């Protein structure tokens, strides 16, 4: 596609034409940015040992390309909007990230355009499967889990405890074990601390019990790039996201990219 090299302050989207997954970004030199993205994708080399540039892509995009053997022909680049200044461009980019970050179709890993500028998150956890997901907005939560907006607001306001099996709350809410037991009993869910501790949402991050009670735990992660297993104990974990070798905020990473929920 033709891209004007003089084009500046642009919001763009890289979309997988086969499965609809996408990445949203911004640039002051959009032609060069698309060239770099293409080079990063092409460095996968059709399933052979990836080149170094391949690891400049987000982890979720790399996993999708590796699993499905995608090439540059499977991706399209589109300019979504143009701006006259950088400030407006970044504000729009943050809005788009808020709407789609951590949803099943979004490749983006970073949840903020400017470091330490974002502090509010929402978490949805399931009282039956013990899975949980973190989002930047109720729009993302609604589109990803198909929970009605009215029900989400009712749970956030404390008017209703759950919607079906799902509970939606502020990320920083802390449960005591007694409160958890009471919640499961009152809403007729089966509470099993042992099962909760065995069921893990991903290869990284705490179990649901540790997540809700905000207990500090050891985190084990397999670093695919360096082929090493890493163990770390994050300090002050739940008051501020910690970042692992991949740059992903815990517990964002998924064991299998875009697995059905």
């Amino acid at each position: 596609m033709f891209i004007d090299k003089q084009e500046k302050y642009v919001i763009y989207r890289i979309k997988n034409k086969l499965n609809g997954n996408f990445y949203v970004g911004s640039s002051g030199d959009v032609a060069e940015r698309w060239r770099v993205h293409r080079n990063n994708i092409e460095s996968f080399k059709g399933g052979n040992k990836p080149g170094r540039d391949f690891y400049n892509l987000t982890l979720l995009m790399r996993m999708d390309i590796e699993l499905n053997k995608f090439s540059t022909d499977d991706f399209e680049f589109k300019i979504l909007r143009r701006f006259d200044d950088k400030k407006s461009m970044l504000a729009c980019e943050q809005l788009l990230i808020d709407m789609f970050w951590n949803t099943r179709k979004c490749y983006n890993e970073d949840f903020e355009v400017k470091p330490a500028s974002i502090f509010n998150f929402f978490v949805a956890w399931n009282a039956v499967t013990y899975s949980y997901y973190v989002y930047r907005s109720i729009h993302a939560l609604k589109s990803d889990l198909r929970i009605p907006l009215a029900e989400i607001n009712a749970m956030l306001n404390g008017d209703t405890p759950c919607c079906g099996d799902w509970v939606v709350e502020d990320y920083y809410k802390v449960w005591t074990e007694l409160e958890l037991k009471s919640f499961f009993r009152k809403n007729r869910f089966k509470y099993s601390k042992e099962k909760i501790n065995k069921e893990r949402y991903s290869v990284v991050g705490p179990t649901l019990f540790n997540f809700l009670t905000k207990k500090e735990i050891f985190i084990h992660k397999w670093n695919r790039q360096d082929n090493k297993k890493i163990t770390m104990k994050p300090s002050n974990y739940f008051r501020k996201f910690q970042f692992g070798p991949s740059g992903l905020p815990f517990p964002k990473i998924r064991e299998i990219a875009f697995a059905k929920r």
Side-chain angles (χ1 to χ4, degrees):
M1 63 174 292
F2 172 78
I3 298 176
D4 186 355
K5 292 185 177 181
Q6 302 301 317
E7 198 120 44
K8 287 191 174 181
Y9 304 128
V10 162
I11 297 289
Y12 65 86
R13 180 190 67 194
I14 299 174
K15 184 178 180 180
N16 188 310
K17 294 184 286 187
L18 300 181
N19 59 22
N21 299 333
F22 63 90
Y23 173 86
V24 174
S26 65
S27 177
D29 188 347
V30 68
E32 174 63 15
R33 182 63 59 88
W34 178 223
R35 185 196 69 78
V36 170
H37 280 303
R38 285 181 60 87
N39 183 63
N40 293 339
I41 296 172
E42 288 172 355
S43 65
F44 178 57
K45 300 177 181 178
N48 298 322
K49 185 177 180 180
R52 180 177 297 179
D53 291 339
F54 182 64
Y55 295 98
N56 293 329
L57 298 171
T58 66
L59 179 61
L60 296 177
M61 185 180 285
R62 298 202 311 265
M63 293 172 71
D64 207 16
I65 292 173
E66 287 179 324
L67 287 172
N68 300 290
K69 313 301 181 188
F70 291 131
S71 67
T72 51
D73 293 334
D74 299 317
F75 293 88
E76 65 177 9
F77 186 93
K78 181 179 181 180
I79 294 175
L80 299 181
R81 191 169 177 182
R82 298 168 175 83
F83 297 87
D84 296 326
D85 60 274
K86 184 177 180 180
K87 183 178 180 180
S88 299
M89 176 187 73
L90 294 180
C92 181
E93 182 183 9
Q94 185 63 66
L95 180 62
L96 289 173
I97 291 174
D98 290 347
M99 292 176 66
F100 298 108
W101 179 78
N102 211 18
T103 58
R104 69 188 74 195
K105 289 290 184 181
C106 186
Y107 284 135
N108 289 69
E109 295 171 357
D110 294 332
F111 53 82
E112 56 188 357
V113 175
K114 294 182 178 180
S117 62
I118 299 299
F119 300 99
N120 59 309
F121 295 87
F122 302 98
V123 60
W125 58 275
N126 192 290
V128 175
T129 64
Y130 306 128
S131 58
Y132 62 94
Y133 306 96
V134 181
Y135 299 97
R136 276 286 303 120
S137 66
I138 58 176
H139 174 276
L141 198 157
K142 173 181 177 291
S143 64
D144 214 30
L145 301 179
R146 305 293 190 268
I147 302 176
L149 188 60
E151 294 291 340
I152 295 175
N153 287 322
M155 286 184 279
L156 291 174
N157 294 330
D159 297 330
T160 184
C162 56
C163 177
D165 302 335
W166 288 101
V167 180
V168 175
E169 58 195 22
D170 184 88
Y171 179 84
Y172 298 98
K173 179 179 178 179
V174 179
W175 293 74
T176 65
E177 186 172 0
L178 185 62
E179 288 172 337
L180 273 177
K181 289 180 178 178
S182 177
F183 168 83
F184 274 77
R185 183 179 66 254
K186 288 181 179 179
N187 294 282
R188 299 182 180 180
F189 295 117
K190 186 177 180 180
Y191 177 84
S192 172
K193 181 179 177 180
E194 292 73 20
K195 185 176 180 182
I196 290 176
N197 281 333
K198 288 180 181 178
E199 297 292 332
R200 288 187 178 273
Y201 158 50
S202 65
V203 293
V204 62
T207 61
L208 177 64
F209 177 80
N210 283 317
F211 179 79
L212 294 177
T213 56
K214 305 300 185 280
K215 292 182 179 293
E216 191 172 43
I217 64 164
F218 282 97
I219 291 179
H220 302 279
K221 183 184 184 302
W222 188 264
N223 187 345
R224 295 163 61 91
Q225 182 172 353
D226 298 331
N227 201 31
K228 295 178 181 178
K229 187 174 182 180
I230 296 174
T231 301
M232 63 193 78
K233 187 176 183 181
S235 60
N236 206 15
Y237 174 84
F238 289 97
R239 273 185 267 176
K240 187 175 182 179
F241 276 115
Q242 301 294 314
F243 291 82
S246 67
L248 287 175
F250 301 125
K252 203 265 185 220
I253 187 174
R254 304 165 198 172
E255 186 170 6
I256 300 177
F258 314 108
K260 291 183 178 180
R261 296 180 180 175

